[in-house]
């Protein structure tokens, strides 16, 4: 998980070409520690650039075939429990259109066993495996996102997401803020001590098919808290697309929070 220019991908690929070997898949980690400037990926959005670089390399070496792209671990320990980073990585992996990705697990903590071996589904549950933590709700909402992908644009580069239009025209949007690992109570964060980023207001535009009319929506916040967490209903209302774009304004998105938006077609004629 270093710069792809020093990562042995090119050398290994050239060796495969020289020996007539086709690849079934290429796999790597997308991890960082502390969000430093020299990290391979200081932001989930870097995943998109990394995947594009690998695909360019493969295009230059057609002898390798059409290998799948696997991200066999994403999300470093310092962001492991932050729902905003989790949502940001999922959105980036969707935009990169990878074939498979797996959430990473966190290391030992004084008060809990290593998440790689505890019954907590890599931090989705509490250490005893019985209660839901914030990342669980990110995964649960993501599981419901089926159908066609829709582009999402936000007014803040630290808040990214993606949307889908599923059965019966239901639109689901998953957003995550990933500016710093410093949040409410992130035990894994090793960044230099400073104040957590303050909440920000965010405007987002979701592009939908031209046939979409008025929609009712519900916004829920998945807060960056450790321990047992439940989504919190923040607001809701009705919105009508303009030129196939639905604008939504979020008054306050907390540091490392995830936000889910569910939109259903207005049943009234």
């Amino acid at each position: 998980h270093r710069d792809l220019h020093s990562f042995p991908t090119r050398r290994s690929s050239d060796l495969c070409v020289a020996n007539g070997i086709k690849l079934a898949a290429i796999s790597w980690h997308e991890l960082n520690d502390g969000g430093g400037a020299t990290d391979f990926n200081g932001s989930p959005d870097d995943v998109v650039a990394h995947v594009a670089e690998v695909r360019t390399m493969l295009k230059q070496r057609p002898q390798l075939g059409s290998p799948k792209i696997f991200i066999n671990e994403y999300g470093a320990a310092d962001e492991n429990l932050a729902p905003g980073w989790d949502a940001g990585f999922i959105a980036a992996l969707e935009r990169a259109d990878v074939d498979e990705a797996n959430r990473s697990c966190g290391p030992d903590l004084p008060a809990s066993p290593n998440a790689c071996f505890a019954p907590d589904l890599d931090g989705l549950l509490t250490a005893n495996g019985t209660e839901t933590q914030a990342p669980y709700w990110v995964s649960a909402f993501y599981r419901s996102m089926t159908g066609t992908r829709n582009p999402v644009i936000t007014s803040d580069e630290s808040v990214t997401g993606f949307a889908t239009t599923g059965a019966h025209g239901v639109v689901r949007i998953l957003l995550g803020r990933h500016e710093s690992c410093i949040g409410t109570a992130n035990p894994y964060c090793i960044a230099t001590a400073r104040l957590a980023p303050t909440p920000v207001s965010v405007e987002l535009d979701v592009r939908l098919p031209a046939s979409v009319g008025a929609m009712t929506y519900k916004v829920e916040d998945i807060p960056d808290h450790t321990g047992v967490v439940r989504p919190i209903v923040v607001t809701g209302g009705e919105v009508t697309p303009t030129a196939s774009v639905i604008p939504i304004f979020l008054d306050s998105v907390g540091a490392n929070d995830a936000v889910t938006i569910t939109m259903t077609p207005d049943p009234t004629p």
Side-chain angles (χ1 to χ4, degrees):
H1 34 268
R2 291 289 180 257
D3 188 335
L4 288 172
H5 291 289
S6 60
F7 190 66
T9 304
R10 286 181 174 80
R11 286 174 292 168
S12 300
S13 298
D14 288 339
L15 182 63
C16 290
V17 169
N19 288 275
I21 300 172
K22 286 193 173 183
L23 302 180
I26 292 181
S27 180
W28 69 90
H29 292 359
E30 286 284 348
L31 306 177
N32 70 297
D33 293 309
T38 59
D39 288 330
F40 179 44
N41 58 301
S43 165
D45 289 340
D46 290 341
V47 174
V48 181
H50 300 161
V51 172
E53 187 170 354
V54 169
R55 288 193 169 126
T56 297
M57 179 203 69
L58 292 171
K59 188 175 181 179
Q60 295 167 347
R61 298 162 177 80
Q63 304 93 322
L64 295 175
S66 302
K68 294 183 180 297
I69 302 295
F70 294 161
I71 307 302
N72 56 20
E73 283 192 52
Y74 69 84
D78 49 356
E79 298 114 18
N80 187 260
L81 298 180
W85 282 84
D86 206 14
F89 272 114
I90 289 173
L93 291 161
E94 285 285 345
R95 290 203 308 278
D97 199 24
V98 301
D99 295 287
E100 182 179 306
N102 302 289
R103 175 179 161 82
S104 64
C105 52
D108 289 311
L109 287 175
S112 67
N114 190 308
C116 298
F117 305 103
D120 64 356
L121 300 181
D122 295 345
L124 301 187
L125 306 176
T126 52
N128 60 9
T130 62
E131 299 284 354
T132 55
Q133 299 201 103
Y136 170 88
W137 298 105
V138 174
S139 294
F141 189 82
Y142 177 54
R143 182 178 181 273
S144 72
M145 298 178 74
T146 58
T148 304
R149 293 184 187 130
N150 306 115
V152 174
I153 299 174
T154 73
S155 60
D156 190 309
E157 64 180 8
S158 72
V159 180
T160 55
F162 87 108
T164 60
T165 301
H168 309 296
V170 176
V171 176
R172 292 180 173 87
I173 307 166
L174 176 63
L175 299 169
R177 186 177 177 199
H178 40 81
E179 184 173 343
S180 166
C181 67
I182 300 174
T184 306
N186 183 354
Y188 290 123
C189 186
I190 60 174
T192 303
R194 59 183 175 86
L195 293 177
T198 57
V200 296
S201 58
V202 178
E203 183 176 346
L204 64 139
D205 292 336
V206 183
R207 183 166 293 280
L208 298 173
S211 59
V212 173
M215 308 277 283
T216 58
Y217 69 93
K218 179 178 69 173
V219 179
E220 293 184 287
D221 179 62
I222 304 174
D224 178 32
H225 295 167
T226 56
V228 179
V229 170
R230 296 283 189 277
I232 302 167
V233 176
V234 177
T235 187
E238 183 175 301
V239 64
T240 301
T242 302
S244 301
V245 174
I246 285 187
I248 298 176
F249 182 78
L250 302 177
D251 185 57
S252 179
V253 179
N256 304 325
D257 283 8
V259 176
T260 67
I261 304 172
T262 303
M263 311 178 72
T264 56
D266 192 334
T268 59

